[in-house]
């Protein structure tokens, strides 16, 4: 056929065949949309800070930032000394340190959970009532006066029989207090710990539904995180994978799965000296969580380390190196959030996060720019990879590791463009995979 002549197009199937297939798959299409809506595309905190309900005050967030800055001044007073402790490359030392100092001054805590569970322990009912009411008042005031962390909320006691009524009452007091103070803040987060059966998730759904009806709130206004802290939450008695069933039992209210390092390790009989987020048992649990949550819009969080950066400088440095390494390990495994239990963990949390995004920034930006321009490079990227590249840059922007101007300059793309690549339609990913 001569150049320029139109290629003949022939088909063999009647249009009714395609229509019949589409009709037969309509229920599957609907199921995919319902169960796997994809990531919400909003900012995710890089950590969750836990503070016992009896010690939480109006100054907690600022105090954590000040204590973290003081720890830096005492144990690594400049960029070079801090980089030497963590093994940061020379070209990262100043950028990471400068951003770390600014972050601790501006927004030291991204997500704070007032703890009424393990960190709080059993108390007299009157005492817990008062602390729950006080937490509601302080959080409401913080959002009003601009001193709140972007996300704040409580971890109640679990749905197991011995503490169930206490947990329900604490949650009721807290939420009712917020409503009395002006309503539920946008950054409100609730955490349900020690979930072992999907029926406990269903119970939480019923509880939140009842509260919404009592206050004429929109259905589904209240969501919650599910803590994975028991072996039964990973593998049920009948051999099925429980965590996926928990997500479905939440009926769209589950916002996150949080790994509980020490409760889960102890449940499996791991001795105290080896209970850590990089233990093989932890990796297995988190891999199951990751697969179960993929595509559902439910986000993941790693647990914590119980090695605190306190005491002499050499001991602080050892704890910093441990925490930095665990955080970097989690980031590489797509666990973009973790727990921090002490102000001294903030320097290495942010150092690890900032280094992770700045190290890969130039490569990710160049690859996405080539993909957007349809320009050949040394890596053949597909839509799914473009999604990952854009998501990486957006996370870097959200946490403060990257600046909008430098990302736009390097990619030629606006934030809106990045969001478009990070959240493609389902067919855009599958068509060329």
């Amino acid at each position: 056929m001569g150049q320029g002549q139109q290629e003949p197009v022939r088909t063999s199937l009647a249009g009714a065949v395609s229509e019949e297939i589409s009709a037969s798959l309509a229920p599957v299409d609907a199921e995919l949309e319902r169960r796997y809506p994809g990531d919400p595309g909003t900012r995710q905190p890089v950590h969750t800070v836990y503070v016992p309900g009896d010690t939480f005050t109006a100054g907690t967030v600022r105090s954590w930032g000040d204590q973290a800055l003081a720890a830096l001044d005492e144990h690594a007073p400049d960029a070079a000394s801090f980089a030497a402790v963590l093994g940061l490359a020379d070209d990262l030392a100043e950028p990471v340190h400068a951003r770390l100092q600014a972050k601790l001054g501006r927004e030291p805590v991204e997500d704070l959970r007032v703890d009424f569970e393990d960190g709080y322990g059993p108390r007299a009912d009157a005492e817990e009532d008062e602390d729950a009411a006080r937490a509601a008042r302080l959080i409401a005031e913080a959002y009003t006066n601009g001193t709140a962390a972007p996300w704040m909320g409580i971890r109640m006691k679990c749905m197991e029989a011995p503490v169930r009524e206490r947990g329900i009452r604490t949650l009721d007091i807290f939420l009712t207090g917020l409503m009395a103070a002006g309503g539920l803040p946008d950054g409100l987060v609730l955490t349900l710990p020690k979930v072992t059966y999907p029926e406990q998730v269903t119970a939480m759904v019923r509880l939140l539904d009842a509260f919404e009806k009592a206050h004429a709130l929109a259905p589904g206004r209240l969501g919650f995180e599910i803590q994975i802290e028991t072996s039964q939450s990973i593998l049920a008695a009948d051999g099925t994978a429980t965590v996926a069933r928990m997500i479905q039992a939440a009926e769209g209210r589950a916002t996150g799965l949080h790994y509980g390092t020490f409760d889960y390790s102890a449940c499996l009989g791991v001795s105290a000296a080896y209970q850590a987020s990089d233990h093989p048992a932890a990796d297995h649990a988190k891999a199951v969580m990751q697969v179960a949550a993929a595509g559902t819009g439910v986000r993941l969080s790693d647990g914590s380390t119980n090695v605190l950066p306190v005491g002499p400088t050499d001991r602080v440095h050892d704890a910093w190196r441990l925490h930095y390494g665990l955080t970097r390990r989690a980031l590489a495994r797509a666990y973009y959030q973790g727990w921090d239990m002490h102000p001294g963990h903030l320097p290495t949390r942010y150092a690890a996060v900032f280094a992770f995004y700045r190290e890969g920034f130039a490569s990710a930006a160049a690859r996405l720019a080539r993909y957007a321009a349809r320009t050949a490079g040394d890596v053949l990227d597909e839509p799914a990879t473009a999604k990952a590249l854009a998501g990486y840059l957006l996370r870097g922007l959200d946490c403060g590791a990257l600046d909008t101007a430098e990302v736009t300059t390097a990619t030629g793309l606006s934030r809106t463009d990045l969001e478009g690549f990070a959240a493609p339609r389902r067919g855009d990913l599958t068509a060329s995979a």
Side-chain angles (χ1 to χ4, degrees):
M1 181 178 292
Q3 190 173 12
Q5 290 183 321
Q6 192 170 22
E7 189 75 28
V9 177
R10 303 179 180 90
T11 63
S12 301
L13 299 176
V17 174
S18 177
E19 293 174 5
E20 289 173 3
I21 289 175
S22 293
S24 70
L25 289 176
V28 172
D29 296 338
E31 186 83 344
L32 281 170
E33 290 298 323
R34 184 178 71 83
R35 291 184 182 272
Y36 301 101
D39 188 86
T42 54
R43 176 185 174 189
Q44 180 181 5
V46 301
H47 70 169
T48 300
V49 161
Y50 277 81
V51 179
D54 59 322
T55 64
F56 174 63
T57 70
T60 293
V61 171
R62 185 62 264 154
S63 174
W64 272 58
D66 292 343
Q67 290 180 68
L69 287 167
L72 280 173
D73 289 342
E74 181 178 357
H75 301 293
D78 52 45
S81 59
F82 189 56
V85 172
L86 303 181
L88 291 176
D90 291 342
D91 62 335
L92 285 176
E94 286 292 345
V96 168
H97 188 263
R99 289 169 188 275
L100 169 59
Q101 294 272 356
K103 181 74 170 180
L104 293 176
R106 180 185 73 254
E107 188 183 76
V109 174
E110 291 195 357
D111 182 25
L112 185 143
R113 206 72 70 250
V114 184
D115 191 13
F116 289 93
E117 204 234 355
D118 284 349
Y120 183 74
R123 306 291 180 100
D125 283 341
E127 183 179 0
E128 185 160 341
D129 284 354
E130 184 176 351
D131 286 339
R134 185 170 57 87
R137 175 178 59 81
L138 292 176
I139 287 176
E141 290 174 355
Y143 278 106
T144 298
N145 63 31
T147 61
W151 292 270
M152 300 183 81
I154 66 167
R155 176 169 70 167
M156 59 189 282
K157 290 178 171 63
C158 70
M159 285 291 181
E160 292 178 357
V163 295
R164 182 183 303 137
E165 289 187 12
R166 181 63 259 181
I168 291 172
R169 180 172 173 83
T170 296
L171 181 64
D172 187 9
I173 292 171
F174 176 70
L175 292 177
T176 301
L178 289 177
M179 293 300 297
L184 304 180
D186 291 338
L188 176 65
V189 188
L190 306 173
T191 305
L192 179 65
K194 293 183 175 61
V195 183
T196 54
Y197 280 76
E199 289 82 357
Q200 293 167 331
V201 174
T202 299
M204 184 68 166
V205 170
R206 290 173 179 166
L207 178 61
L208 298 181
D209 180 67
F211 188 88
E212 289 166 353
K213 289 176 178 175
H215 289 272
L217 296 172
R221 168 64 181 85
L222 289 164
F224 61 99
E225 302 165 335
I226 300 170
Q227 276 199 260
I228 304 300
E229 303 180 88
T230 67
S231 61
Q232 296 92 340
S233 62
I234 296 298
L235 190 69
D238 62 0
T240 59
T242 320
V243 65
R245 293 164 56 203
M246 289 178 177
I247 292 174
Q248 296 308 314
E251 299 179 16
R253 293 181 186 267
T255 59
L257 298 175
H258 285 227
Y259 177 67
T261 304
F262 302 103
D263 280 291
Y264 186 84
S265 298
C267 184
L268 268 63
V270 178
S271 61
Y274 297 96
Q275 292 177 358
S277 62
D278 59 352
H279 189 280
D283 284 342
H284 171 258
K286 288 184 286 187
V288 173
M289 292 164 59
Q290 194 167 43
V291 173
T296 65
V298 177
R299 287 167 163 174
L300 303 169
S301 177
D302 200 357
S304 62
T305 175
N306 59 359
V307 179
L308 304 183
V310 296
T313 293
D314 59 345
R315 189 176 300 170
V316 171
H317 287 181
D318 287 343
W320 274 352
R321 279 188 285 267
L322 173 65
H323 185 243
Y324 178 86
L326 290 173
T327 303
R328 286 299 305 262
R329 184 180 188 273
L331 289 167
R333 286 159 172 76
Y335 267 74
Y336 299 113
Q337 185 175 350
W339 294 4
D340 289 326
M341 310 302 289
H342 188 274
H345 286 141
L346 298 185
T348 38
R349 170 67 60 183
Y350 291 123
V353 170
F354 294 163
F356 176 75
Y357 290 110
R358 294 209 66 81
E359 281 177 359
F361 166 55
S363 174
R367 286 176 65 180
L368 187 58
R370 286 195 299 267
Y371 179 87
R374 306 300 186 194
T375 303
D378 58 350
V379 179
L380 182 61
D381 287 326
E382 295 186 352
T385 308
K387 175 182 179 179
L389 292 168
Y392 174 88
L393 296 174
L394 286 169
R395 289 181 181 277
L397 286 168
D398 285 343
C399 72
L402 307 175
D403 297 326
T404 300
E406 65 178 339
V407 172
T408 299
T409 298
T411 62
L413 302 171
S414 67
R415 183 179 180 104
T416 301
D417 295 329
L418 293 177
E419 290 170 348
F421 282 115
R425 295 171 301 173
R426 186 181 304 278
D428 293 338
L429 288 177
T430 57
S432 58

